[in-house]
Amino acid sequence: MPFLSATLDRVKPSPTIAVTTLAAELKAAGRDVIGLGAGEPDFPTPEHIREAGKRAIDAGHTRYTAVDGIPELKQAIVEKFRRENGLAYTPDQITVGTGGKQVLYNALMATLNPGDEVIVPAPYWVSYPDMVRLAGGEPVEVVGAFENGFRITPDQLEAAITPRTKWLIFNSPSNPTGAGYSPDQLKALTEVLERHPHVWVMTDDMYEHIAFPGFDFRTPAQVAPSLYERTLTVNGVSKAYAMTGWRIGYAGGPTALIGAMRKIQSQSTSNPCSISQWASVAALNGPQDFLAENAKLFLRRRDLVVEGLNAAEGIDCPVPQGAFYVYPSIAGCIGKTSRSGSRIETDEDFCRALLEETGVAVVFGAAFGLSPCFRVSYATSDEQLKEACARVQDFCAGLS
Ligand SMILES: Cc1ncc(COP(=O)(O)O)c(C=O)c1O
């Protein structure tokens, strides 16, 4: 349609949202669907956080606030970074937006000029490459091989850097693979960046608190203090505190960058929801013990899903270090035909046939930049996960 902007040609709609929508439609039509597409915890926001939100409404915290966050929330974030990450930020180095998504987008909008490159390790969260394109930049994908636990190597990073490189986007534990970089593996990447002072680091630490035994979470500026001046440390309350709908994300970074991001936000959405900001103060300052409890719950589900998928013929499911996703390879299923006659040439074929024939909704790997694989979000009940794995096993057994 000629009326629409050419910018739209540079991006595609989120495939994860598309799968979730299709699964919901099938369910509404009466089909027995198990949705493993959505990337959000399946439990409610903790009560003390909900109460803080209600109190905020009654206290009249229902007006515009400072564009990038109330001082109370910025202070809570300063303390979070100090307490959990050993990072010293002052409130003027903190920004708060409508979800981590807006914070990442603001940073790209505030820094990219046409032709600027952003290194995006694949498999990636679906929004990174498209947000880079929307902001006028060029995503440069570097594939973390299945055999290397989906991690990129220092040599790969070195080879991807050009004079146009502006950012490396880093996400550990990762959506969609759950892969995490050990402190040593992360340090090896930061050593490459130390040799290239024009490259900044945008680290997305959204899954920090969903980390499993044996995995030691670290954020880049903590492992390499020399990078502190060119690192934006992004985080949020969505995944850790089961607050996806409240829409609060935040970041710490150099004041000049934070100021530029504020400018973008001031002319687009202004402040994030005032009530959500007060609830987030309660989340960050309140009890933290349930974070470990939740991680334990996800650990049990991870093991259940990894075992259940590895029992399916043609599927090879690695064991992730964190988050609530697994990213199995279906190389062993390619070239086969399902019981209903669907030919499986790609991971998209596999996922479509799986949904149509068994009602299990997962997202195909091509959406995340590494095929042939699919992503399972296991943020759902054990019963649903067991049933889904049984259906996948049966589907795979029927391939010939
Ligand atoms: C890796 C990653 N970063 C950022 C986000 C966005 O989170 P928020 O709800 O804070 O916008 C998500 C959500 O799925 C994610 O998986």
Side-chain angles (χ1 to χ4, degrees):
M1 181 184 171
F3 185 66
L4 299 178
S5 156
T7 306
L8 282 175
D9 299 338
R10 294 168 61 81
V11 300
K12 54 187 180 330
S14 164
T16 45
I17 293 177
V19 168
T20 313
T21 310
L22 178 58
E25 280 168 13
L26 287 174
K27 212 172 207 167
R31 287 282 306 276
D32 173 17
V33 171
I34 303 179
L36 304 179
E40 61 181 341
D42 57 319
F43 29 83
T45 305
E47 191 182 354
H48 68 282
I49 302 174
R50 299 201 305 268
E51 289 303 325
K54 292 177 201 167
R55 278 198 308 276
I57 296 175
D58 290 338
H61 294 309
T62 51
R63 297 171 180 266
Y64 292 134
T65 73
V67 164
D68 64 354
I70 55 176
E72 291 82 355
L73 180 52
K74 288 193 176 187
Q75 192 55 41
I77 293 164
V78 163
E79 276 153 33
K80 178 264 181 261
F81 278 134
R82 184 187 46 74
R83 179 177 74 233
E84 296 181 347
N85 309 114
L87 293 178
Y89 290 116
T90 50
D92 61 344
Q93 290 181 283
I94 301 295
T95 184
V96 185
T98 301
K101 202 167 194 169
Q102 186 183 26
V103 172
L104 294 161
Y105 188 65
N106 285 343
L108 294 168
M109 287 296 285
T111 55
L112 296 187
N113 292 310
D116 283 347
E117 296 172 2
V118 177
I119 297 176
V120 180
Y124 43 72
W125 179 44
V126 289
S127 294
Y128 297 143
D130 284 321
M131 285 202 285
V132 169
R133 289 189 194 100
L134 272 176
E138 302 294 334
V140 174
E141 292 180 21
V142 178
V143 176
F146 181 87
E147 297 72 23
N148 197 38
F150 304 113
R151 296 176 197 94
I152 64 165
T153 64
D155 287 347
Q156 283 181 294
L157 177 58
E158 181 78 57
I161 294 174
T162 76
R164 297 305 309 256
T165 308
K166 219 144 196 184
W167 291 99
L168 163 69
I169 297 185
F170 182 75
N171 177 221
S172 159
S174 140
N175 176 4
T177 62
Y181 288 73
S182 72
D184 285 348
Q185 287 162 340
L186 174 54
K187 182 97 184 107
L189 293 184
T190 62
E191 282 166 6
V192 173
L193 297 171
E194 278 165 353
R195 295 196 288 274
H196 299 277
H198 67 291
V199 181
W200 286 48
V201 188
M202 192 179 298
T203 180
D204 178 347
D205 298 346
M206 206 55 78
Y207 295 95
E208 163 178 18
H209 287 295
I210 308 173
F212 303 134
F215 172 66
D216 207 0
F217 173 84
R218 291 283 198 292
T219 191
Q222 183 182 20
V223 162
S226 61
L227 298 183
Y228 172 86
E229 290 296 337
R230 49 182 165 116
T231 297
L232 184 71
T233 305
V234 182
N235 212 316
V237 295
S238 286
K239 316 286 174 168
Y241 300 95
M243 292 177 71
T244 48
W246 298 77
R247 311 305 305 126
I248 295 290
Y250 56 85
T255 44
L257 173 62
I258 295 296
M261 292 166 64
R262 183 186 313 123
K263 194 170 174 185
I264 300 281
Q265 190 161 302
S266 75
Q267 296 297 16
S268 50
T269 59
S270 290
N271 65 274
C273 171
S274 56
I275 300 150
S276 300
Q277 290 190 65
W278 283 101
S280 299
V281 172
L284 294 175
N285 288 347
Q288 306 293 313
D289 43 330
F290 62 90
L291 297 176
E293 292 303 311
N294 291 347
K296 236 187 254 170
L297 174 77
F298 282 127
L299 174 67
R300 193 183 70 221
R301 292 172 175 175
R302 177 200 73 174
D303 291 343
L304 194 159
V305 171
V306 168
E307 192 186 328
L309 291 177
N310 276 327
E313 225 169 293
I315 291 187
D316 184 359
C317 184
V319 182
Q321 288 73 44
F324 39 68
Y325 308 102
V326 290
Y327 200 72
S329 161
I330 51 155
C333 303
I334 297 298
K336 297 189 173 172
T337 303
S338 75
R339 282 196 192 101
S340 304
S342 296
R343 183 101 182 122
I344 312 291
E345 299 291 0
T346 64
D347 47 29
E348 196 167 356
D349 295 341
F350 179 94
C351 294
R352 194 181 315 108
L354 184 71
L355 179 57
E356 281 168 2
E357 297 178 28
T358 74
V360 173
V362 296
V363 187
F364 56 95
F368 308 100
L370 183 67
S371 292
C373 295
F374 64 89
R375 186 192 77 170
V376 169
S377 164
Y378 54 83
T380 188
S381 71
D382 290 18
E383 292 66 40
Q384 291 263 296
L385 293 172
K386 280 182 199 156
E387 174 61 22
C389 287
R391 292 188 197 179
V392 173
Q393 288 165 19
D394 182 59
F395 177 78
C396 288
L399 295 177
S400 56

